[in-house]
Amino acid sequence: MRDTEFFLSWMAATAAAVEREADRLTELDSPIGDADHGNNMLRGFTAVRAALEADPPATPGAVLQRVGRTLISTVGGASGPLYGTLLRRTGKELGDAVEVSDEDLRGALDAGVRAVAALGGAAPGDKTMLDALVPGVAALTTSYGAARTAAEEGAVATVPLLARKGRASYLGERSVGHQDPGATSSALLVAALADVAEGSR
Ligand code: ADP
Ligand code: MG
């Protein structure tokens, strides 16, 4: 079972990964965006860290809902509402349980990813964060390690895709040949989950 501490560790690991990779995320957002994805994610997860440290939520669901709300209120750009929806919806699905099973977490993440698709109107193959999240969450039925690999492969597989949503879609054919920044940051979120889950086995 996964307790509140596990979710706080997951979010801390995600914040650390975003700090480490912020420059790369911004570089990826240069050719097919407005070069702010690293800064957006860094601003959001710095606020998340502060919010969770100031007043740690009592349940796994409350942790993710707090993170989602914090991202929505601090991240400008498309990614704020999308990541905010992902985590808030996943947290809502977890309800007020003090501990959740891996199966419950998988189901909740699945609902969170579907909420992102509903909000942004994107589908896998559109060169968005869904290209990492959908395969990543699907592979949770195998293992956390498989989810990490699937999300990372999904992010890399956005390179040859034509962007159909978000700012990158304005470039049309010129969006081909670049890795999607949001898919790349989504793979960091999934990898952080796998790291924390594997570390606490
Ligand atoms: P902005 O595009 O407003 O500058 P960011 O640079 O922070 O926002 O985030 C860009 C990322 O957001 C993209 O790389 C893509 O993965 C994701 N994104 C944009 N629009 C959508 C959408 N409609 N559905 C899913 N993801 C999207
Ligand atoms: Mg951008």
Side-chain angles (χ1 to χ4, degrees):
M1 295 294 276
R2 308 295 182 181
D3 61 8
T4 303
E5 200 55 46
F6 174 88
F7 285 82
L8 291 171
S9 298
W10 175 22
M11 290 301 112
T14 304
V18 164
E19 274 165 31
R20 198 177 63 233
E21 299 291 329
D23 288 350
R24 173 152 180 268
L25 295 175
T26 288
E27 270 166 37
L28 291 173
D29 197 33
S30 301
I32 58 168
D34 55 353
D36 65 355
H37 189 57
N39 287 336
N40 286 344
M41 295 298 287
L42 194 55
R43 187 176 338 104
F45 275 91
T46 301
V48 161
R49 219 193 253 281
L52 294 179
E53 277 168 16
D55 179 21
T59 63
V63 170
L64 297 188
Q65 291 185 66
R66 175 87 60 82
V67 171
R69 282 202 306 274
T70 304
L71 293 175
I72 289 169
S73 63
T74 57
V75 181
S79 59
L82 292 164
Y83 271 109
T85 295
L86 172 69
L87 292 160
R88 211 169 56 164
R89 181 58 196 273
T90 302
K92 267 191 191 159
E93 289 288 319
L94 294 178
D96 53 14
V98 187
E99 289 190 321
V100 300
S101 68
D102 287 333
E103 181 52 26
D104 286 345
L105 174 54
R106 194 194 60 71
L109 276 167
D110 200 56
V113 171
R114 279 187 275 114
V116 172
L119 176 66
D126 287 346
K127 200 179 182 100
T128 71
M129 47 196 277
L130 290 175
D131 288 308
L133 291 175
V134 169
V137 171
L140 282 173
T141 52
T142 305
S143 69
Y144 283 100
R148 179 201 287 109
T149 303
E152 284 169 357
E153 288 177 356
V156 171
T158 61
V159 172
L161 297 177
L162 180 80
R164 292 202 178 81
K165 293 287 169 190
R167 235 175 245 286
S169 67
Y170 308 158
L171 292 174
E173 292 290 340
R174 280 180 296 141
S175 66
V176 171
H178 303 282
Q179 185 166 322
D180 182 63
T184 308
S185 57
S186 290
L188 297 179
L189 179 76
V190 175
L193 173 62
D195 290 348
V196 172
E198 288 168 352
S200 64
R201 261 193 310 218

